[in-house]
Amino acid sequence: MMDFGWWTTGRDRAAFDLFDAAWKGIQDGVISGKISYVFCSKAKGEGVYSDRLMDEASMRGLPVVSISAAKFMPELRVADRERWRDLYHGMVLDALKDLHHDIVVLAGYMWVVSARVCRSFPIINLHPALPGGPCGTWQEVIWQLIQERAGSAGAMIHLVTPELDRGPAITYCRFKIRGNDKWDILWDQLDRSLKTTDLDAIKASYGETQRLFAAIRMEGVKREVPLTIQTLRLLANGDILIKNGMPFDRFGRVLEAPLDLTPEIDPSLQGAANRID
């Protein structure tokens, strides 16, 4: 049985739903493991969803550790982000030293971890882009996809390294954002707007409510939970092994390419409300 350390910022509903789905997947026997503790980078009172997540974890008998990143040496965070990152995560590692994990899962964790953390234990991260795709927050990823007029989007689980969002991908799933009438209508609407304004002005005016942006986000969120559950299942079963910062298959061979879990994930989405494709 594999022990997962669960690191989160608990910023939004998606972060809570991801934790809840992983917990249920373990309880239902889908994932042969357990969440051994929850670490939250917000203190109680700093967010509705982070409070809810920590309360639920406590009620389920999990140790919960919270250290506010926002309140930790804010002047240093502005002046020297790398130094701040080292000191903050040094405090985190000290707070977690008596708690066991085989792998740490960054699930809606909004801070870049320090190099020391990357070297200390295996860490996986959910990133809302395809392997080799845009880096950054999910908002930055989606706007870059729109700017590049991408044909596909997706999500991946990758190993965390000091290079932001560029550690080796182990699993992913994809979906098209072009090529059928519903998607093409959204691109056409955007193109009409771009005849009289630019993309930066559209971002400023509409933000996350812009229809193409919102549709891409909705489709991505649908896949984040099943991608995470299936990846944790593969790790717990030993189908994917993490050694020395690299992914291997169960026979000890280096995973030459990340596993495309789209065929396993798409059938679970059939009938989802408001589906675009």
Side-chain angles (χ1 to χ4, degrees), residues 154-155 173-176 217-227 230 261-277:
C173 63
R174 70 168 62 241
F175 58 95
K176 292 182 179 180
R217 174 59 177 166
M218 182 180 69
E219 288 299 306
V221 168
K222 287 180 186 177
R223 290 162 171 82
E224 289 179 357
V225 166
L227 176 63
Q230 290 300 320
L261 300 185
T262 306
E264 288 79 18
I265 289 171
D266 274 359
S268 70
L269 304 177
Q270 297 298 326
N274 301 316
R275 188 152 184 221
I276 292 293
D277 56 351

Side-chain angles (χ1 to χ4, degrees), residues 6-269:
W6 197 268
W7 289 27
T8 185
T9 301
R11 185 176 68 168
D12 53 20
R13 174 64 183 268
F16 176 85
D17 288 347
L18 194 56
F19 165 74
D20 190 53
W23 171 266
K24 291 176 179 175
I26 290 168
Q27 301 306 115
D28 292 342
V30 175
I31 301 167
S32 179
K34 67 178 182 179
I35 297 174
S36 56
Y37 68 85
V38 169
F39 165 65
C40 185
S41 62
K42 286 185 178 181
K44 291 299 291 294
E46 288 190 300
V48 173
Y49 288 110
S50 55
D51 282 2
R52 181 181 175 192
L53 194 156
M54 286 188 279
D55 288 343
E56 286 290 335
S58 293
M59 286 190 292
R60 296 171 189 185
L62 299 178
V64 175
V65 176
S66 64
I67 302 175
S68 173
K71 294 179 180 178
F72 179 78
M73 303 179 71
E75 297 85 1
L76 180 63
R77 188 172 74 246
V78 174
D80 188 341
R81 180 61 66 94
E82 186 171 351
R83 175 65 176 157
W84 174 90
R85 185 178 298 132
D86 289 342
L87 291 175
Y88 175 74
H89 286 104
M91 180 182 294
V92 171
L93 291 177
D94 187 61
L96 299 176
K97 66 181 184 298
D98 295 326
L99 297 171
H100 177 264
H101 56 248
D102 297 305
I103 292 177
V104 161
V105 182
L106 302 186
Y109 187 75
M110 304 308 297
W111 301 93
V112 177
V113 298
S114 68
R116 179 186 169 194
V117 169
C118 293
R119 293 191 300 266
S120 296
F121 37 72
I123 310 170
I124 60 173
N125 181 51
L126 170 66
H127 181 60
L130 291 168
C135 299
T137 65
W138 59 265
Q139 293 95 335
E140 291 167 339
V141 166
I142 295 174
W143 284 122
Q144 189 169 334
L145 291 173
I146 291 173
Q147 184 172 0
E148 295 174 353
R149 306 187 73 83
S152 297
M156 68 172 173
I157 304 285
H158 67 94
L159 294 175
V160 176
T161 66
E163 187 178 5
L164 179 64
D165 296 335
R166 290 305 186 198
I170 58 176
T171 60
Y172 72 97
C173 63
R174 70 168 62 241
F175 58 95
K176 292 182 179 180
I177 56 174
R178 286 183 178 277
N180 64 42
D181 289 344
K182 291 182 179 180
W183 281 111
D184 291 345
I185 286 170
L186 296 175
W187 282 101
D188 288 345
Q189 290 172 345
L190 175 67
D191 288 339
R192 286 197 294 272
S193 297
L194 289 172
K195 290 179 179 179
T196 57
T197 188
D198 60 25
L199 191 59
D200 287 337
I202 292 173
K203 290 183 192 179
S205 297
Y206 296 97
E208 297 169 17
T209 66
Q210 199 282 329
R211 291 191 66 197
L212 176 59
F213 181 104
I216 295 172
R217 174 59 177 166
M218 182 180 69
E219 288 299 306
V221 168
K222 287 180 186 177
R223 290 162 171 82
E224 289 179 357
V225 166
L227 176 63
T228 301
I229 299 306
Q230 290 300 320
T231 304
L232 296 183
R233 181 183 65 81
L234 292 170
L235 286 164
N237 287 349
D239 294 306
I240 300 175
L241 307 172
I242 309 300
K243 299 178 181 178
N244 301 318
M246 290 294 295
F248 295 80
D249 66 18
R250 65 164 45 253
F251 303 106
R253 300 174 300 202
V254 174
L255 208 61
E256 297 291 345
L259 302 180
D260 183 359
L261 300 185
T262 306
E264 288 79 18
I265 289 171
D266 274 359
S268 70
L269 304 177

